[in-house]
Amino acid sequence: MTEKEYFDSQLSSKENEENFDLKALFSKYLKSWKLFLISLIVFLTLAILALQFVNTSYEVTSKILLNNETSNIDASGNNLVNNNPFSNSEKVNNEIEVLTSVHLMRSVLDSLSLQGKVMTPDVFPETELYGSQLPFKIVVDTLFPLAYDTTLKIKIEGSDSFSVSEEFEDAGDVLSSTSSSYGFNKYNYGYKIEKPYGNFHLVANNKSVSTAKEFVVEFRDIDELAHDYVKKALNVYVVNKDASVINIVLKESNPEKGEDIINGLVEMYGYKAFLEKNAVALENVKFIDNRLNSLSAELSEVEMNVAQFKTENELANVELDANSFSEQEIDYDRKLADSEIELKVLSSIERNLKRGDNESTINSLNVSSSNLTYLIDSYNKLQIDRKRLQRTVPENNPRMVDIRDQLAQLKRNILGSLSTSKQSLRTTIASIKNRSDEFAEKKQRIPSMQRQLLEISREQGIKENLFLYLLQKREEAALMVGAKQDNFTVIDKAITDYESGSSSKKLYVLIALLMALALPIGIIHLKDILNTKVKGAKDIEKRTSVPVIGEIAHNNSRKNLIEKGEEVSALAKGFRMMRMNLDFILSKKKVQTVLVTSAIKGEGKTFFSSNMGVALASSSSKVVILELDKHNPELIETLGETKREFGVTNYLNQPYNTITVNDLLIPVSGNANLFAIGLGNEKIDGLESFGSKKMEELMEQLRKEFDYILIDSSPIKTLADTLALSKYTDCCLYMVRSGHSKLEDLSIIEDVRTNKKFKNPMVVMNDVSSNK
């Protein structure tokens, strides 16, 4: 692998690890398993304790079906709503708003007498008693604001009596002066207790299973309680947008109380709807009665107009009268013809009699007068008798003379009667003609009268139909008054879901588990955030692209140098691995001179240089270590040797070349291939001296005599001396000590790489904990 390939692989590995290293994250958490265990125990304990004091809420549900006729039916059962496709959903939404109204909830709570919260004293946590848990029920008539600062203590004295004591948070002058402000006063069940803070009475609960004798009562604002229930505990929603089924859900810690509230809400909802419908029905009856009264007067007036019109026009029935007029006209025509014929007959008889025709008989046909008919019949009979006698007796016969006289007298009578009958007939004919003309005129007026009468009759018919319709509707509306017909159907009455109560326990346990995980994780990451020290190689890799060639384990022994027999130790293995990594990374280059530096003092440059020299020398390589940290020269001491008279500074400052390299070398005991050169006792300017020709000569000679040259240099953060040595080195090893080096100093390494201040810069991680 080339140097470029190695650096590229390091950069790629670094970018991948920067994205997310899940394994490293879990490894970090695993190291703090004790913290997680303690946190888990603490939070689970807190959750168990909390469940002992927190009331468990149960879900109480009910389901109702809204009838389609809701608010859309008139008194007769007719649907008054048009076919609006949105009317059903709008109606359901309106009913949901009614069910979730604070006013309706207040009515329910008031009917259940929940103004007073009853508890058992000296019990923690405080739990409200309800229903069968109470031997009595508090019925409140009136409460004043002072009641909310008042606490009642009630003692059960017997089956029909109890005693009450009050405690006031801020007792005023009026209260402190009353005899009932403190101490117990005895009352009987049903007795109305009147106090400055309100009026109420207690009713015995025969279904109570409570054995307690003392109770504490706190009054609460029923309006605020209703508001809390509606906003926090009640949920009303539609099961399906295409249906009219409504779900009512209430969260309540007491299942019995929750069921009573839900059932009471549904019942009160129906009762309110009934009152509203009843009020509407009563208004309908009242309206119909008023309309009937006015319509009755209008109908009477129209009927009088009809009667007056018929009277004035002599009409009973227009059609019948028209037919009657036609029949009468025909009858008058017939009578007129008969009268004229009779008049002609009488005139003919009169002419015959006046002409002296005494032999013939008279035709009495068509003669209507009975007197005249009688005279004519008598006359004809005498004529017949005369003709019969003429055959047997002579004309002068007395009998014949008597007949002739009778005939003459009858003739005179007939002529007189004819004159009277003719005059009567003429009068009759004139009368018939007059009446016929009158009926003809009426007949011509019938269409006009018929039209007028039709208009009056139409108005009469409309008012009669409307009157009858209103009478029917009044009876129907009257039947609706008081008839209770709910606008909904209860599908399911209030049912408590006891499983919903366990969900709160699961929630507490879940929260405890989450907190037990979140707290240690937060602490770990907070420590990371607040940490300013380098903890591991990951910190280096996140902040610089310079590769980390190895890690040196923490030295548990107090020895500064690896000795024979310790080759299997973790420390020795680390240095051997470092040597192999160095050869592997820079295999294409001859690495002979290695510069060891750091950012600050105490990061292990001297310790590393010494032991790295031992590791290199153990492979039969000849190694020399230069002590060039002029502010902290500890190399010779670390190697366990004694400083010589001359060192590097002496060599660089000699005027006549009397000091040779051999005079500087210090053999390291136990390592035949390892040597060291001390700093010397002369003061020098590092930048000038390390860049001098003498320094070049020294390095050149050392390169000829040794396989490896290790330079223990000064920290580069505070001194620039080390920069002057870069031209002599093949690579630079930057020491970073775990828990000691600062994160901000890692920017120096990146600066070295970016600006190429040293050849082949690499990082060595020192003092790594074994339990990493």
Side-chain angles (χ1 to χ4, degrees):
M1 178 183 288
T2 64
E3 179 184 359
K4 183 178 183 304
E5 291 174 344
Y6 176 79
F7 278 106
D8 290 343
S9 66
Q10 290 292 314
L11 287 173
S12 176
S13 175
K14 176 178 179 295
E15 289 175 356
N16 293 333
E17 290 174 354
E18 281 181 349
N19 291 334
F20 186 67
D21 193 343
L22 185 62
K23 183 178 179 181
L25 183 64
F26 277 109
S27 177
K28 181 188 294 185
Y29 295 155
L30 189 61
K31 288 192 299 182
S32 303
W33 66 270
K34 293 182 180 179
L35 179 61
F36 280 93
L37 180 60
I38 294 172
S39 177
L40 181 62
I41 294 173
V42 170
F43 279 103
L44 284 179
T45 303
L46 291 176
I48 294 172
L49 291 175
L51 287 173
Q52 302 301 318
F53 301 107
V54 176
N55 291 329
T56 302
S57 294
Y58 300 93
E59 285 189 358
V60 183
T61 60
S62 180
K63 189 180 293 184
I64 63 174
L65 170 66
L66 294 180
N67 299 330
N68 291 333
E69 297 81 8
T70 304
S71 303
N72 300 329
I73 303 300
D74 64 3
S76 63
N78 298 319
N79 195 339
L80 300 179
V81 177
N82 58 3
N83 294 324
N84 182 2
F86 302 103
S87 60
N88 184 58
S89 61
E90 291 176 357
K91 178 195 69 174
V92 173
N93 291 333
N94 292 338
E95 299 306 316
I96 289 177
E97 291 299 322
V98 174
L99 284 167
T100 55
S101 64
V102 176
H103 175 72
L104 185 65
M105 179 59 73
R106 188 197 185 285
S107 300
V108 174
L109 300 181
D110 192 37
S111 65
L112 294 175
S113 299
L114 295 180
Q115 292 93 335
K117 180 181 179 182
V118 184
M119 299 164 289
T120 304
D122 303 326
V123 174
F124 186 81
E126 293 183 348
T127 303
E128 181 180 1
L129 304 179
Y130 181 80
S132 59
Q133 300 171 336
L134 286 172
F136 57 82
K137 180 180 180 181
I138 299 179
V139 180
V140 175
D141 298 327
T142 307
L143 281 183
F144 302 108
L146 181 61
Y148 309 133
D149 297 327
T150 304
T151 301
L152 302 184
K153 290 185 178 180
I154 298 178
K155 287 184 180 180
I156 305 300
E157 301 291 349
S159 59
D160 58 353
S161 62
F162 60 92
S163 58
V164 178
S165 173
E166 300 100 340
E167 291 183 0
F168 307 103
E169 291 185 5
D170 298 316
D173 295 336
V174 177
L175 290 175
S176 61
S177 63
T178 59
S179 59
S180 62
S181 294
Y182 299 96
F184 285 92
N185 294 314
K186 192 173 182 179
Y187 303 96
N188 291 327
Y189 287 115
Y191 178 79
K192 185 176 182 180
I193 303 174
E194 297 181 355
K195 297 291 184 179
Y197 51 83
N199 303 326
F200 60 93
H201 63 275
L202 268 63
V203 179
N205 183 10
N206 297 327
K207 298 180 181 180
S208 173
V209 296
S210 175
T211 58
K213 297 298 181 182
E214 293 188 6
F215 301 91
V216 175
V217 178
E218 294 179 356
F219 292 106
R220 51 195 173 188
D221 190 340
I222 197 71
D223 293 321
E224 292 183 2
L225 184 62
H227 186 274
D228 289 341
Y229 266 111
V230 171
K231 298 301 180 184
K232 300 177 182 178
L234 183 64
N235 184 22
V236 181
Y237 59 92
V238 182
V239 176
N240 190 319
K241 65 179 182 179
D242 297 326
S244 299
V245 178
I246 295 177
N247 257 9
I248 306 173
V249 181
L250 181 72
K251 289 187 176 180
E252 175 58 47
S253 59
N254 189 309
E256 183 182 0
K257 178 181 175 183
E259 292 178 4
D260 288 346
I261 291 176
I262 289 292
N263 289 330
L265 186 69
V266 174
E267 183 179 352
M268 189 64 67
Y269 165 69
Y271 179 68
K272 295 282 186 182
F274 163 70
L275 291 180
E276 182 180 351
K277 292 171 69 175
N278 209 29
V280 172
L282 289 172
E283 289 296 324
N284 289 341
V285 171
K286 183 178 179 181
F287 170 78
I288 292 174
D289 285 340
N290 293 334
R291 191 70 186 94
L292 282 174
N293 292 334
S294 60
L295 193 61
S296 178
E298 294 174 5
L299 186 60
S300 298
E301 182 179 355
V302 172
E303 290 175 346
M304 290 180 63
N305 292 337
V306 171
Q308 182 179 359
F309 181 82
K310 289 184 177 182
T311 301
E312 291 176 353
N313 292 277
E314 298 180 354
L315 294 174
N317 185 293
V318 176
E319 303 234 348
L320 292 177
D321 287 347
N323 294 332
S324 176
F325 289 162
S326 297
E327 292 175 358
Q328 288 182 8
E329 185 179 9
I330 295 172
D331 185 55
Y332 282 146
D333 289 342
R334 180 181 57 77
K335 288 180 179 181
L336 180 61
D338 291 342
S339 297
E340 288 178 348
I341 292 171
E342 186 178 0
L343 181 61
K344 289 179 180 180
V345 170
L346 293 179
S347 296
S348 176
I349 293 172
E350 184 179 21
R351 284 195 303 273
N352 291 332
L353 290 176
K354 287 181 177 182
R355 282 199 302 268
D357 187 2
N358 298 323
E359 298 295 328
S360 22
T361 58
I362 300 172
N363 185 5
S364 62
L365 187 64
N366 294 329
V367 176
S368 60
S369 175
S370 58
N371 183 42
L372 181 60
T373 301
Y374 175 75
L375 291 175
I376 291 173
D377 289 340
S378 298
Y379 180 82
N380 290 334
K381 185 177 179 182
L382 287 176
Q383 285 284 13
I384 293 171
D385 289 342
R386 187 179 68 80
K387 287 180 178 182
R388 188 178 66 248
L389 288 175
Q390 281 177 350
R391 295 189 188 106
T392 58
V393 294
E395 292 291 333
N396 56 0
N397 186 286
R399 177 66 178 157
M400 289 292 291
V401 173
D402 183 54
I403 290 174
R404 283 196 297 273
D405 292 339
Q406 290 182 6
L407 288 172
Q409 183 61 39
L410 287 171
K411 185 176 180 180
R412 288 191 295 274
N413 291 339
I414 290 172
L415 288 174
S417 180
L418 285 173
S419 178
T420 302
S421 297
K422 286 174 64 179
Q423 184 63 36
S424 176
L425 282 174
R426 290 188 184 93
T427 303
T428 300
I429 290 171
S431 175
I432 290 173
K433 288 182 177 180
N434 289 335
R435 292 294 294 173
S436 179
D437 292 341
E438 289 178 2
F439 280 110
E441 182 183 359
K442 284 185 177 181
K443 185 178 179 181
Q444 291 177 354
R445 289 168 50 202
I446 278 178
S448 175
M449 289 188 293
Q450 188 175 19
R451 181 181 60 77
Q452 296 179 23
L453 184 61
L454 181 62
E455 291 178 355
I456 299 174
S457 298
R458 184 184 296 115
E459 182 180 2
Q460 180 186 16
I462 291 173
K463 293 187 181 296
E464 285 178 349
N465 291 335
L466 183 58
F467 186 81
L468 293 175
Y469 176 79
L470 289 177
L471 281 177
Q472 179 185 357
K473 295 305 172 185
R474 186 192 181 284
E475 292 302 318
E476 293 173 354
L479 291 175
M480 291 292 291
V481 176
K484 192 174 187 302
Q485 182 180 3
D486 291 333
N487 59 356
F488 64 93
T489 302
V490 178
I491 299 177
D492 290 325
K493 285 192 174 183
I495 303 172
T496 301
D497 182 8
Y498 290 96
E499 291 294 328
S500 62
S502 61
S503 62
S504 60
K505 297 180 181 178
K506 295 177 182 177
L507 179 63
Y508 272 88
V509 173
L510 178 61
I511 292 174
L513 292 175
L514 292 176
M515 292 299 294
L517 293 174
L519 183 61
I521 292 174
I523 292 174
I524 292 171
H525 286 283
L526 183 61
K527 286 175 64 178
D528 290 342
I529 293 172
L530 298 178
N531 177 48
T532 61
K533 304 292 184 179
V534 178
K535 294 295 184 183
K538 297 296 182 183
D539 294 333
I540 301 172
E541 294 169 356
K542 289 179 181 178
R543 289 167 174 80
T544 179
S545 300
V546 177
V548 178
I549 66 166
E551 298 179 350
I552 304 301
H554 176 71
N555 185 13
N556 295 316
S557 67
R558 296 188 177 274
K559 300 176 181 179
N560 294 324
L561 200 63
I562 303 173
E563 298 178 355
K564 289 184 178 181
E566 295 180 353
E567 290 80 3
V568 295
S569 66
L571 188 63
K573 290 180 180 178
F575 280 100
R576 286 200 301 272
M577 183 62 69
M578 198 83 61
R579 183 190 66 193
M580 288 187 291
N581 289 343
L582 191 62
D583 292 338
F584 175 76
I585 294 171
L586 302 175
S587 59
K588 297 294 182 68
K589 295 184 178 181
K590 174 62 177 177
V591 179
Q592 186 177 9
T593 306
V594 178
L595 176 69
V596 180
T597 186
S598 65
I600 59 175
K601 177 184 176 182
E603 292 182 316
K605 299 186 307 300
T606 303
F607 174 77
F608 176 81
S609 300
S610 302
N611 287 283
M612 189 63 183
V614 172
L616 292 172
S618 63
S619 61
S620 301
S621 297
K622 192 175 182 181
V623 182
V624 63
I625 307 173
L626 300 182
E627 183 182 53
L628 296 182
D629 186 357
K630 64 180 183 178
H631 289 281
N632 191 27
E634 297 179 347
L635 177 65
I636 306 302
E637 183 181 351
T638 302
L639 292 171
E641 301 299 330
T642 304
K643 291 184 179 182
R644 292 235 177 146
E645 179 182 358
F646 304 118
V648 175
T649 59
N650 300 101
Y651 181 83
L652 296 177
N653 289 331
Q654 62 177 326
Y656 301 110
N657 296 329
T658 57
I659 302 174
T660 64
V661 174
N662 292 329
D663 295 332
L664 304 179
L665 293 175
I666 303 173
V668 178
S669 302
N671 293 278
N673 295 324
L674 180 61
F675 297 87
I677 298 177
L679 181 63
N681 53 17
E682 294 286 339
K683 292 184 178 180
I684 60 171
D685 184 350
L687 284 175
E688 294 183 2
S689 299
F690 293 159
S692 64
K693 188 175 182 181
K694 279 286 186 180
M695 188 66 186
E696 291 180 4
E697 293 176 355
L698 175 62
M699 294 303 297
E700 184 64 29
Q701 191 170 356
L702 291 176
R703 283 178 180 274
K704 293 177 181 179
E705 296 184 11
F706 293 93
D707 298 318
Y708 291 99
I709 303 170
L710 300 178
I711 301 175
D712 181 16
S713 66
S714 302
I716 62 175
K717 181 177 181 181
T718 57
L719 296 172
D721 299 348
T722 307
L723 296 175
L725 300 172
S726 63
K727 62 182 180 178
Y728 308 119
T729 61
D730 298 315
C731 73
C732 174
L733 299 182
Y734 189 94
M735 300 300 301
V736 176
R737 185 175 179 180
S738 177
H740 180 78
S741 300
K742 295 182 179 180
L743 292 171
E744 62 183 20
D745 291 339
L746 296 178
S747 60
I748 298 175
I749 307 175
E750 187 64 19
D751 178 65
V752 166
R753 184 193 70 83
T754 305
N755 297 313
K756 299 180 179 180
K757 294 180 179 180
F758 293 100
K759 298 177 183 178
N760 302 320
M762 288 173 279
V763 176
V764 176
M765 189 70 191
N766 187 27
D767 200 16
V768 178
S769 176
S770 60
N771 58 357
K772 177 183 174 182

